[in-house]
Each structure stands twice: as C-alpha cells, then as structure tokens.
Amino acid sequence: MTIRLGDIAPDFEQDSSIGKLKFHEWAGSSWVVLFSHPADFTPVCTTELGLTAKLKPEFDKRNVKAIALSVDPAESHTAWIKDIEETQNTVVGFPIIADADRTVATLYDMIHPEASATATVRTLFVIDPNKKVRLSITYPMSTGRNFDEVLRVIDALQLTDGYTVATPGNWKDGDDVIIPLTVQDPEVIKQKYPKGFSSPRPYLRVTPQPNK
C-alpha cells in the first residue's frame, strides 16, 4: 500500500507496550509522529527512542504524541524500555507498537524487501488531528533520524495551517516567511501581511513570520 501526503492515515488495532491500542482513538485530537525502527535492543534505535523521550516537552508544546513501532513482541518492548531509560537517562513516555504479525508495517509500507525482508526500515509519518498524513520520511537502517528536522517541519505545518504563508529552505520558527504566489490582490496582501514585505523579485515576497 502506498501512502501519499494528504491521505487519511490508516486506522488499526494492535498490541503495544501499553496494551491493545486503537490508533485513531489513541491519537485523539493531537498531531502524531509515528515512526518505525528495525529491532529492539539495537544501538541506533536505542538512541532514537531515547532522544524522542527527551523531546517530550517539545512535542507537548506542539500538541504532538509520539508512537514507535517494530515487529518485536510487547514483552521485548517492555524489557527494552527499561534498557533505554537506563542507558539514555530518560523516561520513555510513549507507546511502542508490537507489530509481530507485521499488520501495521504492511499497512504503512514500512518493510522494504531490498533493505530487509522482515525488519522495518526507519519510516516516519507526521499525521495531523484530522488523521491526514502531512509528512513522510524514510531513512536507511544504518542512519539515525534527525528529530530537529521533524520538529522544524511540524512548526512549519502548524504555521502554514494557520496563516497563508510558505516557509523557505532551512526555515526555523521565528524566521521570515514567503507570501505564496496564489495571493496577488494588493488589498488582500495589506490585510494578511500588515508588517509589509520585501521583494527582490516579483515572485519572491518575503515577510516577517505573522505570529511573532
């Protein structure tokens, strides 16, 4: 199954480190970061889940819930969580889906046969409160994810949902933004962008971030 941006994230019911979990019900009205890892008790995955746990205050500020997945059973997740907490000096406050039958991995196309026939690659989805997929990133098994980039994109998505703007390359919260080409009416521009804008080219109109 191919999941594209704008698609409704497939719902599922699966075992997890906190018991049986119904995904859409668990997600509620929050944004969600759903990410897979190849296996429990592996070094890169341990650092990734430890980092995610430490980022809980940043996720909370953005109304984001994190949820991880691998094809290991729940008993393995429970033991591994203790290991993560000890080695990464943190508390894992999010569930890990125990996808032993690979139902969710198949639903979300997380197993790439040329990388591994059985383990999930490092797939990550950002899902909004309407259950729509807004970002998908896939990393190889040997490369840990950049969670600063995940937070940056969530900031951009939440900003552009609330304001008619786009974000330039390497944008970070607080930086200037871009007026989309779809906005051309001078009166609308005055109303929407009261701080004005600079325009080195007619197609490139830069304005201060509106909520700052």
Side-chain angles (χ1 to χ4, degrees):
M1 180 175 180
T2 300
I3 297 176
R4 296 183 174 91
L5 299 186
D7 287 351
I8 297 296
D11 197 12
F12 58 83
E13 184 174 351
Q14 186 59 289
D15 199 11
S16 79
S17 58
I18 59 170
K20 207 67 150 178
L21 184 146
K22 295 180 179 179
F23 181 54
H24 281 192
E25 182 181 292
W26 170 85
S29 59
S30 297
W31 290 71
V32 173
V33 171
L34 166 64
F35 64 107
S36 60
H37 56 274
D40 295 357
F41 295 100
T42 51
V44 177
C45 301
T46 297
T47 63
E48 285 192 321
L49 270 73
L51 178 58
T52 303
K54 291 175 181 177
L55 286 173
K56 186 179 188 305
E58 295 298 322
F59 284 135
D60 287 348
K61 283 194 299 187
R62 296 163 173 84
N63 186 32
V64 175
K65 291 181 176 180
I67 184 167
L69 175 147
S70 84
V71 296
D72 297 296
E75 297 79 14
S76 174
H77 289 345
T78 301
W80 186 38
I81 285 171
K82 294 178 182 177
D83 212 51
I84 295 167
E85 292 180 339
E86 289 179 8
T87 62
Q88 305 302 303
N89 192 29
T90 189
V91 175
V92 177
F94 56 88
I96 307 174
I97 297 164
D99 195 35
D101 62 4
R102 299 176 176 81
T103 297
V104 183
T106 301
L107 196 60
Y108 280 80
D109 194 27
M110 293 172 168
I111 295 176
H112 295 192
E114 293 302 318
S116 170
T118 56
T120 52
V121 293
R122 299 186 193 282
T123 300
L124 182 146
F125 295 96
V126 171
I127 300 162
D128 72 17
N130 295 317
K131 310 299 183 291
K132 288 188 176 183
V133 175
R134 303 296 298 277
L135 173 73
S136 63
I137 312 176
T138 300
Y139 287 76
M141 292 183 177
S142 59
T143 304
R145 279 163 278 223
N146 184 337
F147 283 89
D148 288 339
E149 170 66 1
V150 175
L151 289 173
R152 188 190 77 87
V153 176
I154 292 170
D155 284 340
L157 289 170
Q158 293 182 347
L159 176 69
T160 56
D161 279 357
Y163 299 90
T164 310
V165 295
T167 56
N170 283 347
W171 174 89
K172 292 182 180 179
D173 186 35
D175 290 352
D176 288 348
V177 294
I178 293 170
I179 300 174
L181 291 174
T182 52
V183 182
Q184 294 294 335
D185 187 301
E187 292 304 316
V188 172
I189 290 174
K190 285 181 183 179
Q191 179 185 358
K192 286 183 175 288
Y193 314 102
K195 297 177 182 178
F197 64 91
S198 60
S199 182
R201 293 290 187 275
Y203 65 86
L204 182 57
R205 298 167 296 173
V206 180
T207 187
Q209 184 171 321
N211 63 346
K212 293 295 181 180

